[in-house]
Amino acid sequence: MSGSGHNHSHGGGKTLLIALVFTTGFAAVEVFGGLIANSLALLSDAGHMLTDSLSLGVGAFAAWLVKKPASRQHSFGLKRAEVLGALFNVLFMFGVIIFIAYEAIRRMADTPAVAGSTVLVIGGLGLLVNIVVAWVLMRGEQTINVRGALLHVMGDLLGSVAALVAGAIIYFGGPFIADPILSLFVSLLILVSAIRLLREVTHVLMEGVPKGIDSHEVGCALVQVDGVCAVHDLHIWSISSNSRALAAHVDVESIGRWEELLPQLQTILREHFNINHSTLQPENSVIRRTCDAGTDCGARNLG
């Protein structure tokens, strides 16, 4: 016998589409301004925004896939689409970082003249646009897919700050090399966030225990239910950002009480650990004993 529940999520699709409109429109402005001003800071920021448009498009498509119902081929539905969308965005961001870093180092060796006033104006406008987009995304549902897109937007926001600072430095008589130096600095900041998100995405794809959940604590909580003697072969993993799954074997004093015990176990998993999809297999307890924290909660072989 088993019990299951599902947590339906729209994956932030509408939020991503709104952000897509903003970023795509302003990316064109920055490309034009960057070419006129001969500014790497503006062009790199425009590059970020163009990749944002792509990442937001991928994210919106993934959010649409997440809403697809389960099928014979995909028994959990397509919830993992949001994780794959985040993975695509992170890997793509690595490519952008490498390109900007290479171009910045090249320009540091041979720094071209930069029109500081143009960079200053467009960088300031870009900062405002990125603040609005980041605000929209942060107010939306915080799935790993949306966070992957937000990584790009935050990179853009930092890029706009860099462009604004570079423009101000050059406008007030500072060296042109400030432009590629600030671009390189921003790339390094984005790299840190990208690596952090990549680790989280990899953890989900490797079916690691969701962040914030202790397998042993879950096993102990289940054993506290009267009639449950032990929990073993327990596995917990994430299907998506908002959907966790659990499978376990439960040793019970009496199989005849299983219909009474199952709803209690599911309630504990749902209310205390936000695990809405559970598969619990009852087994007759081989060793009949009272389970408590002093006997390691009777939780064994936790995965």
Side-chain angles (χ1 to χ4, degrees):
M1 298 175 66
S2 66
S4 65
H6 301 278
N7 185 8
H8 297 284
S9 165
H10 293 282
K14 183 177 180 180
T15 300
L16 290 166
L17 286 174
I18 293 173
L20 176 61
V21 172
F22 277 97
T23 54
T24 303
F26 196 75
V29 175
E30 284 204 313
V31 169
F32 182 73
L35 291 174
I36 292 177
N38 197 25
S39 168
L40 178 61
L42 270 185
L43 288 174
S44 64
D45 195 31
H48 283 159
M49 295 200 80
L50 287 173
T51 59
D52 280 351
S53 297
L54 178 59
S55 69
L56 290 168
V58 170
F61 179 65
W64 175 73
L65 288 177
V66 165
K67 294 186 289 184
K68 294 295 181 181
S71 65
R72 292 182 179 179
Q73 291 76 25
H74 301 94
S75 58
F76 281 108
L78 297 175
K79 295 181 182 296
R80 278 283 170 88
E82 69 161 39
V83 183
L84 294 178
L87 178 62
F88 172 86
N89 284 330
V90 171
L91 295 179
F92 195 60
M93 198 65 190
F94 279 127
V96 174
I97 292 169
I98 291 172
F99 172 76
I100 293 173
Y102 167 79
E103 188 66 17
I105 292 172
R106 189 183 69 81
R107 288 199 176 202
M108 286 170 67
D110 183 18
T111 308
V114 177
S117 58
T118 303
V119 177
L120 187 61
V121 172
I122 297 181
L125 291 174
L127 179 61
L128 292 176
V129 171
N130 285 314
I131 288 175
V132 170
V133 173
W135 179 79
V136 169
L137 289 177
M138 287 189 289
R139 283 178 60 86
E141 186 178 10
Q142 291 305 297
T143 67
I144 198 171
N145 183 30
V146 171
R147 287 174 55 205
L150 183 60
L151 171 64
H152 283 257
V153 174
M154 293 308 293
D156 276 346
L157 197 151
L158 290 173
S160 294
V161 171
L164 190 62
V165 172
I169 290 174
I170 296 169
Y171 180 75
F172 291 107
F176 293 136
I177 200 172
D179 185 74
I181 287 177
L182 285 168
S183 297
L184 183 61
F185 177 69
V186 169
S187 294
L188 292 176
L189 290 178
I190 300 169
L191 180 62
V192 174
S193 297
I195 291 174
R196 187 180 297 118
L197 185 58
L198 178 61
R199 289 178 60 187
E200 184 175 344
V201 169
T202 302
H203 186 74
V204 173
L205 292 177
M206 294 298 291
E207 299 193 338
V209 176
K211 185 178 179 180
I213 288 188
D214 185 321
S215 296
H216 184 73
E217 183 181 344
V218 174
C220 288
L222 296 179
V223 169
Q224 297 307 310
V225 175
D226 183 40
V228 175
C229 287
V231 174
H232 58 97
D233 296 314
L234 185 151
H235 302 278
I236 309 172
W237 68 98
S238 297
I239 301 172
S240 65
S241 295
N242 299 317
S243 182
R244 297 167 172 176
L246 174 147
H249 288 209
V250 182
D251 290 347
V252 295
E253 293 179 356
S254 171
I255 289 291
R257 291 188 58 198
W258 183 242
E259 289 189 5
E260 170 194 343
L261 294 174
L262 178 58
Q264 297 180 51
L265 297 173
Q266 289 178 320
T267 298
I268 290 174
L269 293 173
R270 183 174 57 254
E271 294 184 356
H272 294 274
F273 302 101
N274 194 28
I275 298 174
N276 294 303
H277 185 106
S278 58
T279 302
L280 303 172
Q281 177 65 47
E283 296 179 355
N284 268 318
S285 178
V286 177
I287 302 176
R288 299 180 182 278
R289 59 187 175 86
T290 301
C291 308
D292 55 30
T295 58
D296 197 31
C297 303
R300 299 178 282 111
N301 301 327
L302 304 182

PDB file of all heavy atoms in Angstrom, residues 11-29:
ATOM      1  N   GLY A  11       5.464  27.260 -11.725  1.00  0.00           N
ATOM      2  CA  GLY A  11       6.862  27.458 -12.080  1.00  0.00           C
ATOM      3  C   GLY A  11       7.247  28.884 -12.385  1.00  0.00           C
ATOM      4  O   GLY A  11       8.310  29.147 -12.904  1.00  0.00           O
ATOM      5  N   GLY A  12       6.373  29.870 -12.075  1.00  0.00           N
ATOM      6  CA  GLY A  12       6.724  31.269 -12.288  1.00  0.00           C
ATOM      7  C   GLY A  12       6.690  31.694 -13.745  1.00  0.00           C
ATOM      8  O   GLY A  12       7.378  32.637 -14.123  1.00  0.00           O
ATOM      9  N   GLY A  13       5.887  31.008 -14.583  1.00  0.00           N
ATOM     10  CA  GLY A  13       5.865  31.303 -16.015  1.00  0.00           C
ATOM     11  C   GLY A  13       5.491  32.730 -16.350  1.00  0.00           C
ATOM     12  O   GLY A  13       6.146  33.387 -17.164  1.00  0.00           O
ATOM     13  N   LYS A  14       4.436  33.261 -15.716  1.00  0.00           N
ATOM     14  CA  LYS A  14       3.981  34.621 -15.999  1.00  0.00           C
ATOM     15  C   LYS A  14       5.049  35.632 -15.590  1.00  0.00           C
ATOM     16  O   LYS A  14       5.318  36.606 -16.306  1.00  0.00           O
ATOM     17  CB  LYS A  14       2.678  34.888 -15.246  1.00  0.00           C
ATOM     18  CG  LYS A  14       2.075  36.264 -15.536  1.00  0.00           C
ATOM     19  CD  LYS A  14       0.754  36.445 -14.809  1.00  0.00           C
ATOM     20  CE  LYS A  14       0.145  37.817 -15.095  1.00  0.00           C
ATOM     21  NZ  LYS A  14      -1.146  38.007 -14.380  1.00  0.00           N
ATOM     22  N   THR A  15       5.668  35.397 -14.434  1.00  0.00           N
ATOM     23  CA  THR A  15       6.735  36.277 -13.952  1.00  0.00           C
ATOM     24  C   THR A  15       7.885  36.333 -14.948  1.00  0.00           C
ATOM     25  O   THR A  15       8.419  37.402 -15.255  1.00  0.00           O
ATOM     26  CB  THR A  15       7.261  35.762 -12.598  1.00  0.00           C
ATOM     27  OG1 THR A  15       6.186  35.750 -11.656  1.00  0.00           O
ATOM     28  CG2 THR A  15       8.372  36.642 -12.071  1.00  0.00           C
ATOM     29  N   LEU A  16       8.253  35.177 -15.479  1.00  0.00           N
ATOM     30  CA  LEU A  16       9.361  35.094 -16.428  1.00  0.00           C
ATOM     31  C   LEU A  16       9.032  35.815 -17.731  1.00  0.00           C
ATOM     32  O   LEU A  16       9.896  36.460 -18.329  1.00  0.00           O
ATOM     33  CB  LEU A  16       9.699  33.623 -16.702  1.00  0.00           C
ATOM     34  CG  LEU A  16      10.342  32.875 -15.524  1.00  0.00           C
ATOM     35  CD1 LEU A  16      10.316  31.374 -15.769  1.00  0.00           C
ATOM     36  CD2 LEU A  16      11.769  33.342 -15.311  1.00  0.00           C
ATOM     37  N   LEU A  17       7.794  35.725 -18.177  1.00  0.00           N
ATOM     38  CA  LEU A  17       7.396  36.383 -19.419  1.00  0.00           C
ATOM     39  C   LEU A  17       7.439  37.909 -19.283  1.00  0.00           C
ATOM     40  O   LEU A  17       7.866  38.610 -20.206  1.00  0.00           O
ATOM     41  CB  LEU A  17       5.989  35.926 -19.835  1.00  0.00           C
ATOM     42  CG  LEU A  17       5.894  34.506 -20.406  1.00  0.00           C
ATOM     43  CD1 LEU A  17       4.432  34.120 -20.631  1.00  0.00           C
ATOM     44  CD2 LEU A  17       6.664  34.412 -21.719  1.00  0.00           C
ATOM     45  N   ILE A  18       6.999  38.411 -18.123  1.00  0.00           N
ATOM     46  CA  ILE A  18       7.046  39.856 -17.884  1.00  0.00           C
ATOM     47  C   ILE A  18       8.492  40.341 -17.908  1.00  0.00           C
ATOM     48  O   ILE A  18       8.832  41.356 -18.538  1.00  0.00           O
ATOM     49  CB  ILE A  18       6.396  40.204 -16.525  1.00  0.00           C
ATOM     50  CG1 ILE A  18       4.890  39.911 -16.572  1.00  0.00           C
ATOM     51  CG2 ILE A  18       6.636  41.675 -16.173  1.00  0.00           C
ATOM     52  CD1 ILE A  18       4.193  40.054 -15.236  1.00  0.00           C
ATOM     53  N   ALA A  19       9.362  39.586 -17.240  1.00  0.00           N
ATOM     54  CA  ALA A  19      10.777  39.956 -17.203  1.00  0.00           C
ATOM     55  C   ALA A  19      11.390  39.887 -18.601  1.00  0.00           C
ATOM     56  O   ALA A  19      12.257  40.693 -18.952  1.00  0.00           O
ATOM     57  CB  ALA A  19      11.528  39.024 -16.252  1.00  0.00           C
ATOM     58  N   LEU A  20      10.936  38.930 -19.407  1.00  0.00           N
ATOM     59  CA  LEU A  20      11.459  38.751 -20.770  1.00  0.00           C
ATOM     60  C   LEU A  20      11.203  39.994 -21.623  1.00  0.00           C
ATOM     61  O   LEU A  20      12.076  40.427 -22.388  1.00  0.00           O
ATOM     62  CB  LEU A  20      10.800  37.519 -21.409  1.00  0.00           C
ATOM     63  CG  LEU A  20      11.155  37.224 -22.866  1.00  0.00           C
ATOM     64  CD1 LEU A  20      12.657  36.973 -23.001  1.00  0.00           C
ATOM     65  CD2 LEU A  20      10.362  36.019 -23.372  1.00  0.00           C
ATOM     66  N   VAL A  21      10.019  40.579 -21.493  1.00  0.00           N
ATOM     67  CA  VAL A  21       9.671  41.770 -22.279  1.00  0.00           C
ATOM     68  C   VAL A  21      10.610  42.929 -21.943  1.00  0.00           C
ATOM     69  O   VAL A  21      11.137  43.614 -22.837  1.00  0.00           O
ATOM     70  CB  VAL A  21       8.203  42.185 -22.006  1.00  0.00           C
ATOM     71  CG1 VAL A  21       7.903  43.525 -22.668  1.00  0.00           C
ATOM     72  CG2 VAL A  21       7.249  41.112 -22.523  1.00  0.00           C
ATOM     73  N   PHE A  22      10.855  43.144 -20.654  1.00  0.00           N
ATOM     74  CA  PHE A  22      11.748  44.226 -20.227  1.00  0.00           C
ATOM     75  C   PHE A  22      13.168  44.030 -20.747  1.00  0.00           C
ATOM     76  O   PHE A  22      13.782  44.949 -21.295  1.00  0.00           O
ATOM     77  CB  PHE A  22      11.781  44.311 -18.690  1.00  0.00           C
ATOM     78  CG  PHE A  22      10.645  45.098 -18.099  1.00  0.00           C
ATOM     79  CD1 PHE A  22       9.510  44.454 -17.626  1.00  0.00           C
ATOM     80  CD2 PHE A  22      10.704  46.480 -18.003  1.00  0.00           C
ATOM     81  CE1 PHE A  22       8.461  45.168 -17.072  1.00  0.00           C
ATOM     82  CE2 PHE A  22       9.666  47.214 -17.452  1.00  0.00           C
ATOM     83  CZ  PHE A  22       8.541  46.553 -16.985  1.00  0.00           C
ATOM     84  N   THR A  23      13.713  42.847 -20.542  1.00  0.00           N
ATOM     85  CA  THR A  23      15.127  42.623 -20.884  1.00  0.00           C
ATOM     86  C   THR A  23      15.374  42.660 -22.384  1.00  0.00           C
ATOM     87  O   THR A  23      16.377  43.216 -22.838  1.00  0.00           O
ATOM     88  CB  THR A  23      15.617  41.274 -20.330  1.00  0.00           C
ATOM     89  OG1 THR A  23      14.750  40.235 -20.776  1.00  0.00           O
ATOM     90  CG2 THR A  23      15.637  41.275 -18.821  1.00  0.00           C
ATOM     91  N   THR A  24      14.476  42.067 -23.165  1.00  0.00           N
ATOM     92  CA  THR A  24      14.669  42.045 -24.612  1.00  0.00           C
ATOM     93  C   THR A  24      14.649  43.454 -25.188  1.00  0.00           C
ATOM     94  O   THR A  24      15.478  43.806 -26.047  1.00  0.00           O
ATOM     95  CB  THR A  24      13.573  41.197 -25.301  1.00  0.00           C
ATOM     96  OG1 THR A  24      13.583  39.882 -24.747  1.00  0.00           O
ATOM     97  CG2 THR A  24      13.832  41.105 -26.796  1.00  0.00           C
ATOM     98  N   GLY A  25      13.716  44.274 -24.706  1.00  0.00           N
ATOM     99  CA  GLY A  25      13.610  45.644 -25.212  1.00  0.00           C
ATOM    100  C   GLY A  25      14.852  46.472 -24.920  1.00  0.00           C
ATOM    101  O   GLY A  25      15.371  47.171 -25.802  1.00  0.00           O
ATOM    102  N   PHE A  26      15.371  46.368 -23.700  1.00  0.00           N
ATOM    103  CA  PHE A  26      16.494  47.227 -23.355  1.00  0.00           C
ATOM    104  C   PHE A  26      17.824  46.685 -23.875  1.00  0.00           C
ATOM    105  O   PHE A  26      18.779  47.453 -24.060  1.00  0.00           O
ATOM    106  CB  PHE A  26      16.595  47.416 -21.841  1.00  0.00           C
ATOM    107  CG  PHE A  26      17.475  48.563 -21.462  1.00  0.00           C
ATOM    108  CD1 PHE A  26      17.040  49.869 -21.600  1.00  0.00           C
ATOM    109  CD2 PHE A  26      18.763  48.345 -21.002  1.00  0.00           C
ATOM    110  CE1 PHE A  26      17.851  50.938 -21.281  1.00  0.00           C
ATOM    111  CE2 PHE A  26      19.589  49.409 -20.671  1.00  0.00           C
ATOM    112  CZ  PHE A  26      19.138  50.710 -20.812  1.00  0.00           C
ATOM    113  N   ALA A  27      17.907  45.383 -24.126  1.00  0.00           N
ATOM    114  CA  ALA A  27      19.153  44.807 -24.661  1.00  0.00           C
ATOM    115  C   ALA A  27      19.520  45.472 -25.981  1.00  0.00           C
ATOM    116  O   ALA A  27      20.696  45.782 -26.237  1.00  0.00           O
ATOM    117  CB  ALA A  27      18.996  43.305 -24.849  1.00  0.00           C
ATOM    118  N   ALA A  28      18.520  45.701 -26.819  1.00  0.00           N
ATOM    119  CA  ALA A  28      18.769  46.344 -28.114  1.00  0.00           C
ATOM    120  C   ALA A  28      19.324  47.754 -27.925  1.00  0.00           C
ATOM    121  O   ALA A  28      20.227  48.185 -28.650  1.00  0.00           O
ATOM    122  CB  ALA A  28      17.474  46.387 -28.924  1.00  0.00           C
ATOM    123  N   VAL A  29      18.799  48.481 -26.932  1.00  0.00           N
ATOM    124  CA  VAL A  29      19.278  49.835 -26.648  1.00  0.00           C
ATOM    125  C   VAL A  29      20.748  49.801 -26.233  1.00  0.00           C
ATOM    126  O   VAL A  29      21.561  50.621 -26.676  1.00  0.00           O
ATOM    127  CB  VAL A  29      18.419  50.483 -25.534  1.00  0.00           C
ATOM    128  CG1 VAL A  29      18.986  51.852 -25.146  1.00  0.00           C
ATOM    129  CG2 VAL A  29      16.971  50.621 -25.986  1.00  0.00           C
TER     130      VAL A  29
END
